[in-house]
């Protein structure tokens, strides 16, 4: 029994997380060339986590929890540094030897570790 929610509720949560991801990533990614590629994130997430769920014989709610967490995690990591990412990209286009801002990379790395830990603790609590 994964976190005491039914499968249908997890399906709704996963669908809402997909919408949040698509809308937020369109706002975060300000580079026209990459805006259309953001629509592949849910497809890739469903593919990878679906295969993982089948391989490990995980319950559907647990797989949907991981999917929803990953879909929400990406915008949460990138939103605070969206202007830095855009600025660094355009600087890199002008001069390929330009290095990315260390502050943005530190933020993304630390927030990813914190969020993955939180997702792992939530998963362990639900199993």
């Amino acid at each position: 029994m994964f976190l005491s929610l039914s499968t249908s509720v997890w399906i709704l949560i996963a669908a809402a997380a997909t919408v949040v991801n698509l809308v937020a990533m369109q706002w975060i990614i300000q580079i026209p060339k990459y805006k259309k590629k953001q629509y592949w994130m849910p497809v890739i997430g469903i593919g990878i986590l679906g295969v993982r769920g089948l391989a490990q014989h995980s319950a559907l709610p647990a797989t949907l929890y991981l999917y929803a967490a990953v879909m929400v995690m990406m915008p949460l990591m990138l939103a605070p540094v969206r202007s830095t990412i855009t600025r660094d990209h355009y600087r890199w286009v002008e001069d390929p030897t330009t290095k990315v801002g260390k502050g943005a990379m530190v933020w993304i790395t630390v927030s990813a570790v914190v969020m993955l830990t939180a997702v792992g603790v939530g998963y362990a609590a639900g199993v």
Side-chain angles (χ1 to χ4, degrees):
M1 187 158 68
F2 195 77
L3 298 179
S4 302
L5 295 176
S6 67
T7 302
S8 59
V9 172
W10 278 112
I11 290 171
L12 291 174
I13 292 171
T18 302
V19 171
V20 166
N21 178 283
L22 291 173
V23 170
M25 290 304 284
Q26 289 301 306
W27 174 73
I28 292 167
I29 304 300
Q30 299 174 351
I31 303 159
K33 176 178 165 182
Y34 297 112
K35 276 189 176 261
K36 292 179 184 172
K37 293 181 182 183
Q38 294 307 314
Y39 292 109
W40 283 101
M41 283 181 63
V43 175
I44 293 168
I46 290 169
I48 291 172
L49 291 170
V51 168
R52 180 210 162 271
L54 289 173
Q56 293 185 353
H57 305 291
S58 296
L60 185 57
T63 302
L64 290 171
Y65 164 78
L66 291 175
Y67 172 78
V70 170
M71 288 296 110
V72 172
M73 193 169 67
M74 291 301 291
L76 289 176
M77 280 189 327
L78 297 176
V81 292
R82 79 185 247 267
S83 60
T84 305
I85 292 169
T86 304
R87 183 189 68 224
D88 287 347
H89 171 75
Y90 285 118
R91 284 183 182 171
W92 177 79
V93 168
E94 291 176 11
D95 180 16
T97 61
T98 303
K99 298 193 188 256
V100 297
K102 290 182 183 178
M105 289 307 296
V106 168
W107 170 261
I108 292 170
T109 303
V110 170
S111 63
V113 168
V114 169
M115 285 188 248
L116 285 172
T117 301
V119 169
V121 168
Y123 185 78
V127 174

